[in-house]
Amino acid sequence: MASGNRYVQLGLIAAVQVLAMAMWFSASAVVPALREAWHISDVQAVWLTASVQVGFVAGAVVSAAANLPDRFPPQRVAACSALGAAAATAAVPLFADGFGPAVLCRLCAGFFLAGVYPVGMKLMASWFGAAGRGLALGVLIGALTVGSALPHLIKGLGGLPWQGVLITAAAIGVGAAVLAAMFVRPGPHLSGGGASHRPRYALEMFRERGPRLANLGYFGHMWELYALWTWLPSFVAASTGSGEATVGLVSFAAIGVAGVLGCLLGGWAADRFGRAPAAGAALVVSGACCLLSPLVFDASWPLLLVLLTIWGAAVIADSGVFSTALSEVADSRYIGTALTAQTAIGFLLTVVTINLVPVLSALVGWRFAFLVLAPGPILGALAMRALGRRSETAS
């Protein structure tokens, strides 16, 4: 019964992530329409995505400093956060009349989403011990990946105006809040609530070699991930000259479909071969795809799709592995705080690379724009190698 219940909860927590994360790239998916409606510049278009990252970092800092996911029932934190993000997403088409109000709404959406994603990782870890936690968190990150890609699918299939895309994403977010509040529960491995207030743990964990290496690997991974997700449609459009619908479907396939498969494979590999080897292998593959991207820019559709599929799978395959590793080496009383702090710093790095890629594309073209992302997976792979050696020494 307990085993069956944990798989039910795995499905529910994953569903919450899919529905809530549909709000993340909802504005990014309709940037071409917003350019025409509001006459915004390239820099302003960048900040429609980067503002979500900044808001997420701010929300994660507040959550970690207050130890929210460790002091209060995490499912309620997730429900309230998803509802807040839905309100902020719906406010863009309902009330925003230009770039400034829209960015403020996107900041608020990111702020609230910080109470969904890291809290979901704590909830998932609470249902699975060390033996199955890698695959379980892989499922969670796969759900996040599908949710993040969902606006591209809505745009590609629905033929909705930009207002309809954002309203649809907000309605889906309300569904996430309902699921979290009514059906999601914490499991036996990490009991929800009860930890004392200890805001310093978000920084104290970096004094220990295990958490420090797990975090460094994650930071290298994040240097690449969200910049790729944000600018992949622009890369595909520049490479192929295709229209919005085709670009949207290709982006959903590379980010969403391939990403889910990568997450499941990464989670399985983490349980089968160890956290550090699995994450290191994914970083090497995604880094290689990054370096190969200029070579396939003018390639045929089949070759381009092969690279994008491999890249889309590899770039996210290790995300759940880093979370798994940190959940096992950090203080068990403050897993929620550790995971929230990890994501806060990681998403702060994404603001840098999301802005760097279009700057580089303006200087040298989209063919070479993604090369700026390569140092992330390279440095992350080195950190995972060191973590693997540490684990071998400890055993």
Side-chain angles (χ1 to χ4, degrees):
M1 178 66 70
S3 177
N5 193 34
R6 72 174 180 172
Y7 288 110
V8 170
Q9 286 295 317
L10 183 151
L12 289 170
I13 297 167
V16 169
Q17 295 297 313
V18 171
L19 300 179
M21 290 301 143
M23 297 180 282
W24 194 292
F25 284 103
S26 55
S28 304
V30 295
V31 160
L34 293 178
R35 285 181 189 272
E36 183 177 344
W38 293 342
H39 307 290
I40 60 176
S41 67
D42 291 341
V43 173
Q44 289 174 322
V46 170
W47 278 98
L48 286 174
T49 297
S51 57
V52 182
Q53 320 293 109
V54 173
F56 182 94
V57 171
V61 168
V62 171
S63 178
N67 303 126
L68 290 181
D70 299 309
R71 297 171 62 204
F72 301 99
Q75 71 275 18
R76 295 181 185 175
V77 175
C80 293
S81 299
L83 197 59
T89 300
V92 176
L94 294 178
F95 303 111
D97 56 359
F99 171 73
V103 166
L104 180 60
C105 292
R106 300 303 290 155
L107 280 167
C108 292
F111 183 91
F112 284 113
L113 286 172
V116 180
Y117 169 39
V119 174
M121 289 191 289
K122 176 187 169 93
L123 282 163
M124 193 71 84
S126 75
W127 282 102
F128 290 85
R133 188 174 294 177
L135 182 57
L137 284 172
V139 170
L140 181 79
I141 304 301
L144 175 146
T145 305
V146 173
S148 297
L150 201 54
H152 295 294
L153 182 63
I154 296 170
K155 180 65 177 176
L157 295 179
L160 297 173
W162 70 265
Q163 297 93 335
V165 174
L166 268 68
I167 289 294
T168 301
I172 291 173
V174 172
V178 172
L179 271 182
M182 296 186 64
F183 301 106
V184 173
R185 297 292 180 267
H189 292 286
L190 296 170
S191 58
S196 61
H197 187 211
R198 187 184 171 190
R200 290 178 297 178
Y201 186 71
L203 297 177
E204 287 174 353
M205 67 173 171
F206 288 96
R207 297 176 183 173
E208 302 173 22
R209 181 171 172 81
R212 184 168 63 249
L213 290 172
N215 278 305
L216 287 175
Y218 178 77
F219 299 155
H221 152 80
M222 290 298 282
W223 180 265
E224 179 188 23
L225 176 63
Y226 271 80
L228 175 65
W229 279 3
T230 300
W231 295 113
L232 182 63
S234 297
F235 180 87
V236 172
S239 173
T240 65
S242 300
E244 283 188 31
T246 300
V247 170
L249 292 175
V250 170
S251 299
F252 177 78
I255 297 171
V257 179
V260 169
L261 295 176
C263 289
L264 296 177
L265 179 60
W268 171 82
D271 288 335
R272 177 67 177 82
F273 302 107
R275 315 313 189 198
L283 287 163
V284 168
V285 173
S286 65
C289 291
C290 189
L291 294 173
L292 289 172
S293 60
L295 301 179
V296 300
F297 184 78
D298 290 330
S300 61
W301 264 111
L303 185 58
L304 179 64
L305 289 175
V306 167
L307 179 84
L308 294 181
T309 299
I310 295 172
W311 201 356
V315 76
I316 190 64
D318 48 357
S319 191
V321 183
F322 297 119
S323 305
T324 303
L326 185 60
S327 73
E328 292 170 347
V329 296
D331 188 327
S332 61
R333 297 169 298 171
Y334 296 97
I335 295 298
T337 298
L339 291 171
T340 302
Q342 181 189 61
T343 54
I345 299 172
F347 277 94
L348 187 60
L349 287 174
T350 68
V351 176
V352 177
T353 51
I354 285 173
N355 281 275
L356 273 179
V357 168
V359 170
L360 192 60
S361 73
L363 293 174
V364 299
W366 278 106
R367 176 190 292 273
F368 302 102
F370 284 145
L371 291 180
V372 73
L373 305 180
I378 292 172
L379 294 175
L382 293 175
M384 289 301 95
R385 185 179 181 185
L387 183 63
R389 289 176 175 174
R390 175 189 178 275
S391 299
E392 292 174 1
T393 302
S395 61

